[in-house]
Amino acid sequence: MTETMGRRERKKAQTRKALSDAAMRLFTERGYDNVGVRDVAEEADVAVTTLFKHFPSKEALIFDEDEGREAALVAAVRDRAPGQSVLDALRDHLMQTRMAFRGDPPEFTAMMKLVDETPALQEYLHRMWRRHETALAAAITEATGAPEGDVRVAALARFVMESPSLVHGREDPRRALDEIFDLLEHGWKTAHGEPLDSGGSHVPWP
């Protein structure tokens, strides 16, 4: 049974990749608005119904790693090593992803160029990113025992999600990512050698 499930998962992954690659190829060659889902299905040699089993919409076709990226973010928090803080776990996770490195592969550069030129894809990417942010905030809330709707958790999730775009293109993205997380961990005042307000509260993240 395990071997059968393994083959099914590999087949599913292969079909998703074939569809995503076909979509990217056609969108790049003809323009996003000039390609329909039927064109993509034919290019990948699958039925349109099969396409929709893997991707809920045309926009989703070029974001093949959507679900995996969100799951990995949540897992980084939930499955962190004993004694490791949430921030350190997220820092390590982002350090290990492509987003934190210099030099993007040509496929990623082409995809982002397509997104930049296509309003529908920009909107989809924005919704996707906010969905990941919400999932991350929920994981942080569970891990830290923070109150539901805590604005600090929402802010932390937002800043973590934005950090890859902030370090993108910098001379030393790893150092830049470290500086962002140092700021998140210690705060602006302590990061710049200023004492915390005596009347304020400072609650460190577990």
Side-chain angles (χ1 to χ4, degrees):
M1 179 65 73
T2 302
E3 184 178 349
T4 300
M5 290 297 292
R7 285 199 300 268
R8 287 177 181 173
E9 289 304 313
R10 286 196 298 273
K11 178 65 174 176
K12 180 180 178 181
Q14 289 168 359
T15 302
R16 283 182 62 88
K17 188 175 189 308
L19 284 164
S20 183
D21 288 349
M24 189 64 203
R25 187 162 54 249
L26 292 177
F27 293 161
T28 302
E29 291 174 357
R30 306 182 193 175
Y32 177 82
D33 293 330
N34 298 321
V35 177
V37 291
R38 187 175 297 279
D39 299 319
V40 176
E42 290 178 356
E43 180 76 6
D45 196 25
V46 302
V48 174
T49 53
T50 299
L51 182 152
F52 282 118
K53 286 180 182 178
H54 293 276
F55 296 96
S57 66
K58 177 182 172 182
E59 293 87 352
L61 279 161
I62 69 164
F63 297 102
D64 184 37
E65 300 178 0
D66 179 10
E67 294 180 5
R69 182 174 291 120
E70 181 175 311
L73 276 167
V74 171
V77 174
R78 291 181 177 171
D79 302 335
R80 68 193 187 281
Q84 185 180 36
S85 71
V86 167
L87 277 172
D88 282 344
L90 288 169
R91 185 200 307 247
D92 288 349
H93 171 68
L94 291 182
M95 282 290 188
Q96 294 168 12
T97 64
R98 173 190 44 71
M99 292 184 293
F101 297 121
R102 289 176 63 180
D104 292 313
E107 297 83 0
F108 180 76
T109 301
M111 184 188 77
M112 292 313 299
K113 182 176 184 295
L114 180 64
V115 171
D116 289 341
E117 296 171 348
T118 311
L121 292 176
Q122 292 176 22
E123 182 180 349
Y124 183 90
L125 179 62
H126 178 76
R127 293 198 309 270
M128 183 184 77
W129 219 239
R130 289 293 171 259
R131 189 170 68 249
H132 295 343
E133 182 183 308
T134 299
L136 178 59
I140 294 172
T141 295
E142 180 182 352
T144 62
E148 289 290 333
D150 192 322
V151 69
R152 297 170 301 171
V153 171
L156 181 61
R158 173 72 57 87
F159 295 146
V160 169
M161 291 300 300
E162 292 293 341
S163 60
S165 64
L166 290 173
V167 305
H168 178 72
R170 294 195 177 258
E171 183 177 353
D172 189 344
R174 286 180 174 273
R175 178 180 177 182
L177 192 63
D178 265 333
E179 289 175 345
I180 290 172
F181 273 82
D182 285 345
L183 180 63
L184 291 175
E185 183 174 3
H186 302 296
W188 177 263
K189 289 188 175 183
T190 51
H192 287 264
E194 300 176 24
L196 290 167
D197 292 336
S198 58
S201 61
H202 178 63
V203 181
W205 293 103

